[in-house]
Amino acid sequence: MFKIITNEEVGPDIFKLALKYDQLPQKPEPGQFFNIKVSQELSDDPLLRRPFSIFDFKSEEKRVEFIYKVVGKGTKILSKLKNGTELDVLGPLGSPFSLNNMNKEINLIGGGMGIAPLFYLARKLEKQNAALKVYLGAADKSELKFFENKFSQLKSEIYLASMSEELTIQGTALDLWLKKLEKKPDFIYSCGPEKMLSAVEKEALRNNIIGEISIEKRMGCGIGVCLSCSCETKTEDKKNKRACVEGPVFELGEVVLDA
Amino acid sequence: MFKIITNEEVGPDIFKLALKYDQLPQKPEPGQFFNIKVSQELSDDPLLRRPFSIFDFKSEEKRVEFIYKVVGKGTKILSKLKNGTELDVLGPLGSPFSLNNMNKEINLIGGGMGIAPLFYLARKLEKQNAALKVYLGAADKSELKFFENKFSQLKSEIYLASMSEELTIQGTALDLWLKKLEKKPDFIYSCGPEKMLSAVEKEALRNNIIGEISIEKRMGCGIGVCLSCSCETKTEDKKNKRACVEGPVFELGEVVLDA
Amino acid sequence: MLNLERRDLDLKVSMKSKNNKSLKLKNPLVTASGTCGNGKELAEFFDINQLGAFTTKGITVKSQSGNKTPRIAETSAGILNSIGLENPGVDSFITDILPETKDYTLPILANISGYSKQDFITLAEKLEGKEELSGIEVNLSCPNIKGGGMVFGTDSEKVFEITKKVREIYSGYIIVKLTPNITNITETALAAEEAGADAAAMINTLSAMKIDIDRQKPLLANTFGGLSGPAVKPVAVKMVYDCYKKLNIPILGLGGVRSGADVIEFMLAGATSVGIGTVNMIEPSAGLRIIKEIEDYMLKHQIQNLSSIIGAAH
Amino acid sequence: MLNLERRDLDLKVSMKSKNNKSLKLKNPLVTASGTCGNGKELAEFFDINQLGAFTTKGITVKSQSGNKTPRIAETSAGILNSIGLENPGVDSFITDILPETKDYTLPILANISGYSKQDFITLAEKLEGKEELSGIEVNLSCPNIKGGGMVFGTDSEKVFEITKKVREIYSGYIIVKLTPNITNITETALAAEEAGADAAAMINTLSAMKIDIDRQKPLLANTFGGLSGPAVKPVAVKMVYDCYKKLNIPILGLGGVRSGADVIEFMLAGATSVGIGTVNMIEPSAGLRIIKEIEDYMLKHQIQNLSSIIGAAH
Ligand SMILES: Cc1cc2nc3c(=O)[nH]c(=O)nc-3n(C[C@H](O)[C@H](O)[C@H](O)COP(=O)(O)OP(=O)(O)OC[C@H]3O[C@@H](n4cnc5c(N)ncnc54)[C@H](O)[C@@H]3O)c2cc1C
Ligand SMILES: Cc1cc2nc3c(=O)[nH]c(=O)nc-3n(C[C@H](O)[C@H](O)[C@H](O)COP(=O)(O)OP(=O)(O)OC[C@H]3O[C@@H](n4cnc5c(N)ncnc54)[C@H](O)[C@@H]3O)c2cc1C
Ligand SMILES: Cc1cc2nc3c(=O)[nH]c(=O)nc-3n(C[C@H](O)[C@H](O)[C@H](O)COP(=O)(O)O)c2cc1C
Ligand SMILES: Cc1cc2nc3c(=O)[nH]c(=O)nc-3n(C[C@H](O)[C@H](O)[C@H](O)COP(=O)(O)O)c2cc1C
Ligand code: FES
Ligand code: FES
């Protein structure tokens, strides 16, 4: 059983949701997601769960946090739920980011709500003494504020970009990364709109940079049974991979992205 | 806008719901009902509103009260809603009990949740100095407790019956009424299961007693547009009447009841 | 043109038929027959003249008291009804109901149902020339009357025959309302068009039922009912989409509309006007909210003429 | 017998066919093809051997990578899918997937789809004699493959022809899965029975679509999809009810089941076994909960043998 302990607006239509759980089937890793039912018990609408990446996780407090944006019916309903509400939640699901980056130079590139899964990742990477540079972009500065605050609690270098206003630069997370990219990192992690990921991937591969991305695919089940989330791959056998089981984290160059 | 100020269990699966409103299109009268949407805003399920009779009304406090029993999906969902929840409510709807009973001898006969609409009625009748005898029945004693407490705050004589245990008697509200009926009342009001109403009506008509009943019909709209709630009448033209507009209060002998 | 404001928006639609007939609506919203009474009840909640058109409750030649109750059941995101066309009959409709509609400034459509071709002929004859009406909606799709409407509606030849007869008699605007309980709705729609219908309305309700598991009996007294409401919308949108590709007459799309977004969805699929049914039962002034939501969409996408989006999803 | 306790309850059902074939299930729950993978994934959540039977994801002669994404859309109380039968093809099914099912003790059914009569013949030939299988489900109703399954499924003659061919080849239990996108499903159901099907399964998904109003394009990459989930249940129950009166073979009823009450509803309508599809996508261990709810109903109504309620609402 999961219970809402925080559900508050932390940016324009951006909410922080903190849940307390009784127990979890396994320890959540960065890049994994939870699948949350937002409808009332017994109500058949909305029918499907909504997937959200782990923003942060604190095992001592039995607490898992998400940052979500209100974009449609499900997130709107979620944003109205009050503290104390019990939620039906499945997870952690999916394959996490790989985490064998002891002492390495790491770049994190996040666009929009794609920033959410990078925070718990960053926390974990810091524990491995990785040197982090974080590149965050969003349409408007106001969408970055909360993330900026959180990331500035870490030791990473932070760069910000928004389309509306010059921060570190005016532009996208990709522009920002390319502009600031001096030294080739050992590994990059990126999450954001598919078009951005596609561009990041192109630049990375061109520069022989390896890394991982996390993608958002419309999901039916989130547990691998329905094949709604199939991704075309660039691997030799071209066998599809499921974003909910083999993903949502994929290696750069592994799956076909919408450009 | 209506807001939940109380939603608490007052008997086995029986809840008291108190709502605070901003404004009402008209002053609610005993016998009228409100039609309450229990689903989340934007959710399409459950789709229909749920009709509940006014249990009590306090205009000074802008407060209207209902007593409802959890019987299915909608009432189950309603019972889970927390204080402070805003509800989409239509009403008051329907035709009320008639109230020109100054100084008369009145019997109220209520079975099960059919007791709910009789309380606000009783309060109003007392203001008219009517002499009230109240006959209440339910399957189990525990279902009567709350109502007994409430009615005992009035000056009416109260008689109780339950199927499970001897109170005033062991049996139904009808049994009780017949047993205790010494003097022919000037007017009766009754509400309860249709079979009970049918029996009450039969006895009343046989004894030339006049009065009114309130019936529960499955409703689509509650406002008279869909004809879901049509009642066959015994009037000469046999023209159907709508429980939601011409009812839910009908004169004894007016509509055809399931025996 | 950029920076459109609310007052710049044009929600008008024109249902121009092949027969050079036209039904002009100030906006695409048409009340669905049977879900809005005959206007009075909704008028207590808002000025119904703000809608595009009003369709009256279905009428038959003789008065009918309808099916036994329960006539309604709730299902997931939908309702089942088996009202069974309770109505006072066409004569009483003409003497009692039609005159009441004179107060309204919006177009009124009479919805007619029958048990035989002759019924439809009689109804068309009686309504021909009635000035209060902007047209009639021929219901060839009611699932709630035995041996009636729906049986005609699933047979293209019957649809053609009845439509043709009605067309010969009735000189006003004719909408033929089709049933979704069919393998291929484009066939009946084309039959209606060929027979001279000015527009096709789709969908009426889907044949369905619910069983009361405690009583172990069908919940509706009539055993079966018609499914409407949001649950059926995806089916309705597809039928409109399919027909838009084949038809040369305008489509009145309906089934499950609850919001402005739903109206837009039907129009993108190919509907010129859009019916609102079940939603009115839940929210009597839904029409007003929906108009506002359509405007919001037009503002967001800077669309000046709503009619420009008809069929745009193809 | 009064005062039945949980341990006294008998949930077994037997799908006895006219051909003297029988599928015996420990309870009526059958996983619906395509919604439960091939078992492994659900097995992480509970012991799937507690279900009545397992139906594998639909297979075709050749491997298929399925439709483009998005392949799924949510609708009111329902979902649209257009997976497009992504599967590794029958040969790989036999070598890779079938052996994995050996660990299961419950009956396994293979769901097969084709684009031609020859496809079904090939599939039946390849699966004939496979011991891991308790039977096959012939999908004559997939709306997501062009020129494929559903076209056959709406034509009684084609249903008869294909079923007959498959019957000649495959000696095990044959279920024919029917489409609801049809005027009268009893006709195709009877055709399947006459051709030798052991059971009829209904319903597959309803043809439907959703339009993305911001992009002004169909939301699914494949334009159309199949509607499933609670929204369609009232339609499915009616089809089962209608067929029960006409058929002499057992019915596997499905469409929108979410609870034990829904299973009971299908059985009262006439289903001997009941499929669970979409619900597993939302709640992987739904089957377990549903079995418990069925038992609760049996206790409440003091029903010892679940099979005694089949068709009881008639
Ligand atoms: C693995 C994964 C992790 C995610 N993590 C986050 C996160 O941390 N924060 C956040 O704000 N969002 C995240 N998303 C996106 C989030 O799931 C959607 O924004 C949300 O489901 C929208 O629901 P809705 O009902 O408001 O929108 P609607 O458009 O009403 O939803 C309709 C349907 O489409 C699906 N859908 C709509 N948009 C998306 C989308 N972008 N991606 C996937 N499915 C979608 C919904 O789940 C639902 O099934 C993630 C998505 C995935 C797949
Ligand atoms: C005018 C009126 C006044 C009422 N007043 C009260 C009251 O004061 N207290 C109270 O506890 N109950 C009252 N009822 C009954 C109450 O409306 C139902 O118990 C409730 O709607 C059940 O909803 P559900 O979703 O829990 O049940 P479900 O069975 O899941 O409901 C399914 C559908 O059937 C309808 N329905 C089910 N039972 C009834 C019923 N007995 N009467 C009418 N419709 C029904 C529901 O409204 C819904 O549309 C009243 C009914 C009417 C018509
Ligand atoms: C209670 C009710 C009564 C109806 N009566 C009629 C009718 O008399 N004539 C008709 O053509 N359609 C009738 N319909 C069908 C609706 O007009 C409409 O086609 C259908 O409900 C789908 O639209 P919706 O989902 O918006 O309700 C009725 C529907 C309902 C729910
Ligand atoms: C994602 C998905 C995939 C499906 N794949 C198949 C399939 O391969 N073969 C088949 O016969 N039916 C398939 N179906 C249909 C289901 O088996 C079932 O008939 C339908 O979904 C109705 O049941 P439900 O409402 O319980 O899901 C699929 C349904 C869904 C939702
Ligand atoms: S969402 Fe169902 S398989 Fe991935
Ligand atoms: S409930 Fe619709 S007319 Fe009474």
Side-chain angles (χ1 to χ4, degrees):
Chain A
M1 191 37 86
F2 291 70
K3 202 175 237 173
I4 297 182
I5 45 183
T6 313
N7 191 17
E8 66 188 11
E9 199 160 3
V10 296
D13 276 335
I14 299 174
F15 284 72
K16 174 170 154 181
L17 174 72
L19 302 181
K20 195 168 174 93
Y21 59 85
D22 283 342
Q23 60 183 137
L24 290 177
Q26 64 190 75
K27 186 159 175 268
E29 296 294 333
Q32 289 191 297
F33 65 95
F34 282 77
N35 221 350
I36 301 182
K37 199 128 183 33
V38 302
S39 51
Q40 296 159 323
E41 199 193 326
L42 294 182
S43 169
D44 292 326
D45 188 67
L47 191 60
L48 293 176
R49 293 169 184 273
R50 299 297 190 263
F52 299 103
S53 298
I54 300 162
F55 170 71
D56 206 356
F57 171 71
K58 287 164 187 163
S59 67
E60 332 77 60
E61 300 171 42
K62 295 196 162 215
R63 177 187 172 106
V64 51
E65 293 183 359
F66 307 91
I67 307 297
Y68 67 92
K69 181 154 192 167
V70 173
V71 297
K73 179 164 160 172
T75 45
K76 182 94 200 166
I77 288 173
L78 183 58
S79 73
K80 296 278 174 82
L81 299 182
K82 292 180 198 296
N83 282 356
T85 305
E86 292 186 346
L87 286 183
D88 175 356
V89 178
L90 267 187
L93 302 170
S95 301
F97 289 115
S98 59
L99 271 176
N100 38 6
N101 286 305
M102 205 54 111
N103 300 316
K104 290 197 181 143
E105 281 278 344
I106 310 283
N107 289 180
L108 304 184
I109 309 149
M113 294 312 295
I115 300 171
L118 300 181
F119 183 70
Y120 180 37
L121 173 67
R123 283 220 299 123
K124 285 273 199 170
L125 288 170
E126 282 210 342
K127 284 205 190 137
Q128 303 188 336
N129 294 314
L132 295 186
K133 285 188 180 146
V134 180
Y135 304 87
L136 307 179
D140 193 83
K141 180 181 156 180
S142 58
E143 296 168 59
L144 288 175
K145 193 150 179 280
F146 171 80
F147 291 119
E148 185 187 358
N149 280 342
K150 291 294 291 190
F151 276 95
S152 56
Q153 293 162 19
L154 305 179
K155 282 165 297 178
S156 45
E157 285 173 37
I158 312 171
Y159 305 96
L160 303 174
S162 89
M163 300 301 293
S164 59
E165 203 176 319
E166 183 167 330
L167 303 173
T168 310
I169 66 156
Q170 183 163 11
T172 65
L174 174 73
D175 300 337
L176 178 66
W177 180 53
L178 292 178
K179 181 111 176 192
K180 288 283 151 187
L181 181 68
E182 290 149 18
K183 200 175 129 211
K184 191 176 132 181
D186 296 312
F187 206 84
I188 68 168
Y189 296 96
S190 185
C191 184
E194 200 158 321
K195 278 191 200 329
M196 171 191 131
L197 293 180
S198 166
V200 166
E201 179 176 276
K202 211 173 112 196
E203 292 298 332
L205 295 180
R206 207 161 52 120
N207 292 295
N208 278 315
I209 297 171
I210 57 169
E212 290 173 347
I213 54 172
S214 170
I215 65 168
E216 287 182 10
K217 264 282 191 218
R218 284 187 183 249
M219 290 184 176
C221 65
I223 56 163
V225 296
C226 75
L227 306 187
S228 294
C229 65
S230 274
C231 301
E232 255 182 276
T233 60
K234 301 182 188 165
T235 51
E236 230 160 278
D237 64 356
K238 295 219 163 178
K239 237 176 121 172
N240 287 347
K241 293 197 171 170
R242 295 164 299 183
C244 69
V245 175
E246 286 81 39
V249 173
F250 290 106
E251 284 173 27
L252 284 173
E254 188 176 0
V255 296
V256 178
L257 298 173
D258 261 6
Chain B
M1 190 39 83
F2 292 70
K3 203 176 236 172
I4 298 182
I5 45 183
T6 313
N7 192 19
E8 65 188 11
E9 200 160 2
V10 296
D13 276 335
I14 299 174
F15 283 73
K16 173 169 155 182
L17 174 72
L19 302 181
K20 197 170 173 93
Y21 58 85
D22 284 342
Q23 59 183 140
L24 290 177
Q26 65 191 72
K27 186 159 176 272
E29 297 293 335
Q32 288 190 298
F33 64 95
F34 282 77
N35 221 349
I36 301 183
K37 197 127 182 33
V38 302
S39 51
Q40 294 158 325
E41 199 193 326
L42 295 181
S43 170
D44 292 326
D45 188 67
L47 191 59
L48 294 175
R49 292 169 185 275
R50 298 298 189 263
F52 299 103
S53 298
I54 300 163
F55 170 72
D56 206 356
F57 171 71
K58 288 164 187 162
S59 67
E60 334 77 61
E61 299 171 41
K62 298 200 159 210
R63 176 187 173 106
V64 52
E65 293 183 359
F66 307 91
I67 307 296
Y68 67 93
K69 182 153 190 167
V70 173
V71 298
K73 179 165 159 170
T75 46
K76 180 93 200 168
I77 288 173
L78 182 58
S79 73
K80 295 279 174 83
L81 300 181
K82 292 179 199 294
N83 282 355
T85 304
E86 293 187 345
L87 286 184
D88 175 357
V89 178
L90 268 185
L93 302 170
S95 301
F97 289 114
S98 60
L99 272 175
N100 39 6
N101 285 306
M102 207 54 114
N103 300 317
K104 290 196 178 143
E105 281 276 345
I106 309 284
N107 289 181
L108 305 184
I109 309 148
M113 293 313 295
I115 300 171
L118 300 181
F119 183 70
Y120 180 37
L121 172 68
R123 283 221 299 123
K124 285 272 198 170
L125 288 169
E126 282 211 341
K127 285 206 188 135
Q128 301 187 339
N129 295 316
L132 296 186
K133 286 188 180 143
V134 181
Y135 304 88
L136 307 179
D140 193 84
K141 181 181 158 182
S142 58
E143 296 167 59
L144 288 175
K145 193 152 179 276
F146 170 80
F147 291 119
E148 184 187 0
N149 280 341
K150 291 294 291 189
F151 276 95
S152 56
Q153 293 162 18
L154 306 178
K155 284 165 295 176
S156 45
E157 285 173 38
I158 312 171
Y159 305 97
L160 304 175
S162 87
M163 299 301 292
S164 58
E165 206 175 319
E166 183 166 331
L167 303 172
T168 311
I169 65 154
Q170 182 164 10
T172 67
L174 174 73
D175 299 337
L176 179 66
W177 180 53
L178 292 179
K179 181 111 178 197
K180 289 283 151 186
L181 182 66
E182 291 149 18
K183 201 176 125 209
K184 189 175 133 180
D186 296 312
F187 205 86
I188 67 167
Y189 296 95
S190 186
C191 185
E194 200 158 319
K195 279 191 197 330
M196 169 191 131
L197 293 179
S198 166
V200 166
E201 180 177 274
K202 211 173 113 196
E203 292 298 332
L205 296 180
R206 208 161 52 120
N207 292 296
N208 278 315
I209 298 171
I210 57 168
E212 289 172 348
I213 54 170
S214 172
I215 64 167
E216 287 182 11
K217 263 279 192 221
R218 283 185 183 248
M219 291 184 175
C221 66
I223 56 164
V225 296
C226 74
L227 307 186
S228 295
C229 64
S230 274
C231 300
E232 256 184 276
T233 61
K234 301 182 189 166
T235 52
E236 231 162 277
D237 62 359
K238 297 221 161 175
K239 236 176 119 173
N240 287 349
K241 293 197 170 168
R242 294 164 299 182
C244 69
V245 175
E246 285 84 39
V249 173
F250 291 106
E251 286 173 25
L252 284 172
E254 187 176 0
V255 295
V256 178
L257 298 172
D258 261 6
Chain C
M1 187 173 130
L2 268 154
N3 267 317
L4 291 171
E5 291 177 36
R6 203 169 289 269
R7 62 164 183 274
D8 304 319
L9 304 179
D10 182 353
L11 275 71
K12 285 199 296 295
V13 294
S14 170
M15 297 189 65
K16 228 173 265 158
S17 81
K18 285 207 311 189
N19 313 316
N20 273 324
K21 290 204 162 53
S22 177
L23 193 64
K24 294 207 167 88
L25 311 178
K26 76 173 92 45
N27 63 55
L29 294 197
V30 180
T31 64
S33 177
T35 61
C36 297
N38 286 320
K40 273 190 304 200
E41 294 85 3
L42 289 192
E44 281 183 29
F45 291 88
F46 73 105
D47 175 14
I48 62 169
N49 294 308
Q50 301 196 51
L51 300 176
F54 191 93
T55 315
T56 60
K57 170 69 190 162
I59 48 171
T60 49
V61 174
K62 299 227 175 87
S63 80
Q64 297 192 170
S65 57
N67 291 321
K68 292 236 171 301
T69 55
R71 297 177 175 186
I72 182 134
E74 193 184 56
T75 66
S76 297
I79 57 171
L80 289 172
N81 88 80
S82 60
I83 309 301
L85 284 173
E86 173 174 340
N87 82 95
V90 65
D91 292 329
S92 162
F93 175 79
I94 290 171
T95 55
D96 304 337
I97 297 172
L98 262 193
E100 284 179 4
T101 66
K102 279 213 173 113
D103 301 343
Y104 303 134
T105 56
L106 83 173
I108 307 288
L109 302 162
N111 179 279
I112 60 172
S113 275
Y115 297 83
S116 63
K117 191 161 72 177
Q118 185 52 48
D119 277 3
F120 285 100
I121 293 174
T122 308
L123 289 159
E125 283 170 351
K126 298 215 175 200
L127 295 174
E128 167 58 14
K130 291 286 168 283
E131 284 178 1
E132 296 91 339
L133 293 178
S134 295
I136 58 175
E137 183 173 64
V138 184
N139 179 7
L140 296 181
S141 43
C142 185
N144 292 328
I145 51 177
K146 296 213 171 73
M150 206 179 86
V151 180
F152 302 138
T154 55
D155 178 339
S156 300
E157 277 172 43
K158 286 262 161 54
V159 170
F160 182 86
E161 256 180 62
I162 294 174
T163 307
K164 193 150 201 272
K165 271 289 166 210
V166 171
R167 172 79 293 168
E168 282 165 23
I169 298 160
Y170 188 74
S171 60
Y173 198 87
I174 300 175
I175 302 172
V176 172
K177 188 162 177 184
L178 300 168
T179 175
N181 300 294
I182 189 167
T183 308
N184 187 350
I185 198 168
T186 65
E187 289 173 10
T188 45
L190 281 170
E193 171 174 321
E194 274 163 40
D198 295 307
M202 62 195 71
I203 58 171
N204 208 314
T205 54
L206 280 165
S207 268
M209 79 182 294
K210 181 167 179 168
I211 293 171
D212 180 332
I213 64 167
D214 287 321
R215 287 176 44 250
Q216 302 200 336
K217 286 280 161 232
L219 196 148
L220 296 172
N222 190 48
T223 307
F224 306 124
L227 183 64
S228 66
V232 309
K233 196 190 67 176
V235 172
V237 170
K238 165 147 200 296
M239 291 187 170
V240 169
Y241 189 91
D242 284 345
C243 285
Y244 182 74
K245 285 190 284 200
K246 308 241 170 155
L247 288 189
N248 288 305
I249 52 175
I251 298 169
L252 164 49
L254 76 166
V257 169
R258 272 200 78 183
S259 67
D262 296 336
V263 172
I264 300 297
E265 191 176 356
F266 271 99
M267 295 185 78
L268 291 168
T272 300
S273 59
V274 178
I276 47 173
T278 304
V279 68
N280 299 293
M281 293 167 55
I282 307 160
E283 187 191 347
S285 59
L288 281 195
R289 173 181 54 80
I290 291 174
I291 291 171
K292 162 93 173 31
E293 290 169 351
I294 294 172
E295 289 174 354
D296 292 343
Y297 174 86
M298 293 171 73
L299 289 174
K300 179 176 168 198
H301 291 269
Q302 291 287 299
I303 295 165
Q304 183 159 25
N305 296 303
L306 185 56
S307 63
S308 67
I309 70 164
I310 297 166
H314 287 261
Chain D
M1 188 174 129
L2 266 154
N3 266 317
L4 289 172
E5 291 177 37
R6 204 169 290 269
R7 63 163 181 273
D8 303 321
L9 305 177
D10 182 355
L11 275 72
K12 284 198 296 294
V13 295
S14 169
M15 299 190 66
K16 227 174 264 156
S17 81
K18 287 206 310 186
N19 312 315
N20 273 323
K21 290 204 161 52
S22 175
L23 193 63
K24 294 208 169 87
L25 310 178
K26 77 174 91 44
N27 63 56
L29 295 196
V30 180
T31 64
S33 178
T35 61
C36 297
N38 286 320
K40 273 188 305 199
E41 295 83 3
L42 288 192
E44 283 183 27
F45 291 88
F46 73 105
D47 175 14
I48 62 170
N49 293 308
Q50 302 197 47
L51 301 176
F54 191 92
T55 315
T56 60
K57 169 69 188 162
I59 48 172
T60 49
V61 174
K62 298 226 176 89
S63 80
Q64 296 194 172
S65 57
N67 291 321
K68 291 235 170 300
T69 55
R71 296 176 174 186
I72 182 132
E74 193 185 55
T75 67
S76 297
I79 59 170
L80 289 172
N81 89 80
S82 60
I83 308 300
L85 284 174
E86 174 175 340
N87 82 94
V90 64
D91 291 331
S92 161
F93 174 80
I94 291 171
T95 54
D96 304 335
I97 297 171
L98 263 194
E100 284 179 4
T101 66
K102 280 212 173 115
D103 300 343
Y104 304 135
T105 56
L106 84 174
I108 306 290
L109 301 162
N111 180 278
I112 61 172
S113 275
Y115 296 85
S116 63
K117 190 161 73 178
Q118 184 52 50
D119 277 2
F120 286 99
I121 292 174
T122 307
L123 289 161
E125 283 170 352
K126 298 212 175 204
L127 295 175
E128 165 60 13
K130 291 284 168 282
E131 283 178 1
E132 296 91 338
L133 294 179
S134 295
I136 59 174
E137 183 174 64
V138 183
N139 179 6
L140 295 180
S141 44
C142 184
N144 291 329
I145 52 176
K146 294 206 175 79
M150 207 180 84
V151 181
F152 302 137
T154 56
D155 179 339
S156 300
E157 278 172 43
K158 286 261 161 55
V159 169
F160 182 86
E161 253 179 66
I162 293 174
T163 306
K164 190 144 202 273
K165 272 288 167 211
V166 170
R167 173 78 292 167
E168 282 164 22
I169 298 160
Y170 188 75
S171 58
Y173 200 86
I174 300 175
I175 302 172
V176 172
K177 187 162 177 184
L178 299 168
T179 175
N181 300 295
I182 189 166
T183 309
N184 187 349
I185 197 168
T186 65
E187 290 172 10
T188 44
L190 280 171
E193 172 174 323
E194 275 163 41
D198 296 306
M202 60 194 71
I203 62 174
N204 208 315
T205 54
L206 280 164
S207 267
M209 78 184 293
K210 181 167 180 170
I211 292 171
D212 179 333
I213 65 168
D214 288 320
R215 287 173 46 249
Q216 303 200 335
K217 287 280 162 230
L219 196 147
L220 296 172
N222 191 48
T223 307
F224 305 124
L227 183 64
S228 65
V232 309
K233 194 189 67 177
V235 172
V237 170
K238 167 151 197 296
M239 290 186 170
V240 170
Y241 189 92
D242 284 345
C243 285
Y244 181 73
K245 285 191 283 201
K246 308 241 171 153
L247 287 189
N248 288 304
I249 52 174
I251 297 170
L252 163 50
L254 77 167
V257 169
R258 271 201 76 183
S259 67
D262 298 335
V263 172
I264 301 296
E265 191 175 357
F266 270 100
M267 294 185 78
L268 291 168
T272 300
S273 60
V274 178
I276 47 173
T278 302
V279 69
N280 298 293
M281 293 167 55
I282 306 159
E283 187 190 347
S285 59
L288 280 196
R289 173 182 54 80
I290 291 173
I291 290 172
K292 162 96 173 28
E293 290 168 353
I294 294 172
E295 290 174 353
D296 291 344
Y297 173 87
M298 292 170 74
L299 289 174
K300 179 177 168 196
H301 291 268
Q302 291 288 298
I303 294 165
Q304 181 160 25
N305 296 305
L306 185 56
S307 63
S308 67
I309 70 164
I310 297 167
H314 287 261

